[in-house]
Amino acid sequence: MIRFEQVNFSYEDETQILHDVTLQIPNCSTLALLGASGSGKSTLFHVLLGLLKPQSGRVLVDDMDIVPLKERKLTEVRRRMGVVFQDGALFDSLTVGENVSFHMRECMDLSEEEMEARVQEGLDYVGLGHAMDMMPGELSGGMRRRVAVARAMAAFQPAIMLYDEPTSGLDPITADTICDLIRKVSTEECLTSIIITHRLKDAFKVADRVALFKDGRVYYEGTPESLMDSDDEYIQRFVA
Amino acid sequence: MLAAISHQARHTLFEIQYGVHLTLGSVWAVFTDFRRRDVVEQMDILGAGSFGIVALTGLFAGMAMGLQFTVELSVYGAKDYLGKMVTVSIIRELGPVLTALMVAGRVCSGMASELGVMKVGRQVDALKVMGINPVAKLVMPRMLAVLIMLPVLTVLADAVAVVGGYFAGAVVGKLSWSTYWAAVDQGLTVQNLVGGVVKPVVFAWIIGAVGCTSGLLSEGGTRGVGRATTQAVVKASILILISNFIVGFVVLKMLGWA
């Protein structure tokens, strides 16, 4: 369970980005964060990862408030999270296989054979078993995101998956493939997932609930279907 | 106008603070999270990759100095001292400075662009999320590699420059190798060598700190990375020239020569 309780965040220049954000994501469910650019979705994402510290409020991951945690404790919490950044954030100088095995190689005491088996398993899972020796530069946008999912899943079995605009810049068919993969990962592994997206279609496809952000506030929270049924003027404009 | 100056001053102070933070973090990482493979890899990239340009720079700097000194010393009938003049100038001043400037141009820009791309491409965040300390993984190996390799490269440049000085002296002044080498030997004093070794250590810290700081503070996409790369080389070069005077003065003071 992830809970945001009255989270406020502003940058050093005192521009307030998040205003009293309160959200709850139950275990094994998927929440889509929707909203216009600059509405605070990505900031909330960074707050959950502990990369930004809110000025007030609590961020609870399985009842543990991560806001006051020091880096070492935060690392333990982060190890329960798999993160897929925009465009994958793959290491360009490493092969696909090395990217997927990166964390295992750096932090775990596994033999080469064990690592290779886990990498192959991860890549097979996302349908890229043939891409082990390819470089990230040779991959399409959709393939990069799939490798990023494999990397997030391979190192440790995450309980939480976070996706930062996983379909941005992709054609509709590839975007659908990524959404299918997200849905598959969430349901088969019973993961708690948060996905930031601009595309309503993605939210419908993968999310149990949606939260619409406007000017750093949660403007609407509910099911994707109820969002569509809303007669609020701003929501109508957003979904149009 | 005042607001712009104030903003720039605050930004510069922040950069200095961040550079110190990275330096201390790297020292800490050497003892707590040492990554031998990364350090060796960086030593190869930063150090071995610079051998060629450093040797070339040293050779032609030494030859140019040999040429000019031979002409001037010949006027006073003192061309036998050419080896000492070249050695002292190269070891104390030109060797460390030219090597550092060449390495700054090649390595500092490389560090800034590589780390900058990783920063804007969210790869640094990805490291943090995986529980890997970016300072230990990215900064410490680069800083340590340049700290180890710059003094080695400087010694190489010094040696090649001294030999280059002989070529010029032999061609223009008809100087013999034994005469030249006897004068070189006089210039190879402990005091000169101390100054010649202390400077590269300071310059290496400047190159590492400026390169990593510029890269990790870059923002604004590829244009921001390009700007950070250019600024890194300019800042490192200026700081090398300023610190060259300061370190030179301090060393001479400590040796009782100033």
Side-chain angles (χ1 to χ4, degrees):
Chain A
M1 164 92 75
I2 299 169
R3 281 213 316 269
F4 297 93
E5 292 179 355
Q6 295 186 304
V7 173
N8 286 282
F9 176 81
S10 48
Y11 282 107
E12 280 172 9
D13 62 2
E14 293 175 5
T15 313
Q16 187 149 5
I17 308 296
L18 298 176
H19 299 263
D20 283 331
V21 172
T22 298
L23 277 172
Q24 185 166 305
I25 305 111
N27 286 340
C28 299
S29 70
T30 301
L31 174 80
L33 298 180
L34 297 169
S37 300
S39 58
K41 311 181 298 291
S42 294
T43 305
L44 192 72
F45 191 84
H46 287 102
V47 166
L48 177 58
L49 286 170
L51 298 173
L52 294 174
K53 292 270 183 202
Q55 278 73 29
S56 65
R58 302 203 304 162
V59 181
L60 298 142
V61 177
D62 290 339
D63 295 326
M64 181 196 278
D65 186 5
I66 66 164
V67 175
L69 295 185
K70 299 276 184 216
E71 197 61 29
R72 184 170 294 188
K73 276 280 181 194
L74 264 176
T75 300
E76 287 172 24
V77 176
R78 285 177 188 146
R79 286 195 172 147
R80 292 158 58 197
M81 301 180 185
V83 184
V84 176
F85 286 99
Q86 231 179 77
D87 204 32
L90 302 180
F91 303 114
D92 297 328
S93 57
L94 305 179
T95 65
V96 166
E98 287 167 341
N99 263 286
V100 177
S101 66
F102 186 81
H103 184 268
M104 291 181 248
R105 205 172 288 281
E106 291 289 326
C107 303
M108 298 164 88
D109 194 18
L110 297 177
S111 67
E112 282 294 324
E113 291 76 26
E114 279 178 287
M115 263 191 285
E116 198 170 319
R118 286 175 73 161
V119 169
Q120 192 62 57
E121 189 186 343
L123 288 173
D124 286 340
Y125 188 77
V126 299
L128 287 174
H130 61 284
M132 175 94 86
D133 296 321
M134 291 171 79
M135 298 301 288
E138 300 173 72
L139 304 177
S140 66
M143 289 165 85
R144 291 174 72 93
R145 317 294 163 92
R146 282 150 69 191
V147 173
V149 172
R151 182 174 70 179
M153 302 280 298
F156 27 72
Q157 293 294 313
I160 298 164
M161 278 295 280
L162 307 174
Y163 303 90
D164 187 2
E165 305 207 13
T167 59
S168 70
L170 301 181
D171 63 84
I173 295 170
T174 311
D176 276 355
T177 311
I178 297 296
C179 287
D180 290 340
L181 177 64
I182 292 171
R183 194 73 208 166
K184 177 181 157 189
V185 168
S186 302
T187 50
E188 286 182 5
E189 310 291 329
C190 185
L191 302 180
T192 309
S193 306
I194 298 179
I195 171 171
I196 295 179
T197 183
H198 282 103
R199 287 169 31 113
L200 268 176
K201 200 180 167 193
D202 294 355
F204 268 89
K205 196 145 195 185
V206 303
D208 304 305
R209 295 182 70 77
V210 295
L212 176 63
F213 273 68
K214 186 187 175 205
D215 300 330
R217 292 184 167 84
V218 179
Y219 190 78
Y220 176 86
E221 194 198 349
T223 62
E225 292 76 19
S226 63
L227 180 81
M228 293 301 284
D229 294 339
S230 171
D231 48 15
D232 181 274
E233 193 187 341
Y234 179 75
I235 295 174
Q236 286 291 322
R237 279 173 55 203
F238 190 83
V239 301
Chain B
M1 176 75 176
L2 276 174
I5 293 171
S6 162
H7 176 76
Q8 185 57 47
R10 277 170 56 191
H11 184 70
T12 305
L13 276 175
F14 175 69
E15 280 186 318
I16 293 168
Q17 186 187 10
Y18 194 66
V20 171
H21 162 75
L22 290 182
T23 305
L24 296 177
S26 296
V27 173
W28 180 249
V30 167
F31 298 106
T32 59
D33 194 4
F34 187 71
R35 290 161 184 271
R36 192 170 58 89
R37 207 179 59 176
D38 292 324
V39 173
V40 172
E41 187 185 340
Q42 289 301 323
M43 281 171 67
D44 183 44
I45 295 169
L46 309 183
S50 301
F51 272 148
I53 55 164
V54 164
L56 204 66
T57 306
L59 179 68
F60 283 96
M63 284 170 68
M65 287 188 66
L67 185 69
Q68 299 298 339
F69 279 142
T70 304
V71 172
E72 291 303 314
L73 290 172
S74 296
V75 175
Y76 302 102
K79 67 179 180 185
D80 289 356
Y81 292 102
L82 176 68
K84 185 177 181 181
M85 292 293 285
V86 170
T87 303
V88 170
S89 319
I90 288 288
I91 289 179
R92 276 203 220 160
E93 286 296 330
L94 271 181
V97 172
L98 285 178
T99 307
L101 289 175
M102 293 309 288
V103 172
R106 185 179 172 275
V107 169
C108 204
S109 57
M111 281 183 195
S113 59
E114 198 177 350
L115 297 184
V117 167
M118 291 187 80
K119 167 86 187 310
V120 301
R122 313 299 296 276
Q123 294 167 33
V124 176
D125 283 344
L127 282 177
K128 283 184 194 167
V129 168
M130 286 184 217
I132 296 165
N133 178 1
V135 175
K137 175 71 184 166
L138 302 174
V139 179
M140 182 274 285
R142 285 169 172 78
M143 279 199 160
L144 193 57
V146 76
L147 265 171
I148 294 168
M149 293 310 292
L150 191 63
V152 175
L153 290 168
T154 303
V155 170
L156 171 82
D158 289 350
V160 174
V162 169
V163 174
Y166 166 71
F167 288 146
V171 172
V172 180
K174 306 281 183 269
L175 213 59
S176 71
W177 171 249
S178 56
T179 309
Y180 183 79
W181 184 247
V184 167
D185 200 32
Q186 287 175 30
L188 288 174
T189 61
V190 173
Q191 289 91 333
N192 288 337
L193 291 172
V194 167
V197 172
V198 170
K199 281 182 180 179
V201 173
V202 176
F203 297 160
W205 172 71
I206 289 171
I207 291 168
V210 171
C212 293
T213 302
S214 302
L216 290 176
L217 287 181
S218 62
E219 49 191 22
T222 47
R223 180 178 282 195
V225 174
R227 196 168 46 235
T229 304
T230 313
Q231 285 178 352
V233 178
V234 173
K235 283 175 197 166
S237 303
I238 290 171
L239 286 173
I240 285 167
L241 293 172
I242 293 171
S243 63
N244 177 48
F245 170 75
I246 296 169
V247 175
F249 182 75
V250 170
V251 169
L252 289 180
K253 199 83 177 161
M254 285 171 71
L255 295 173
W257 289 356

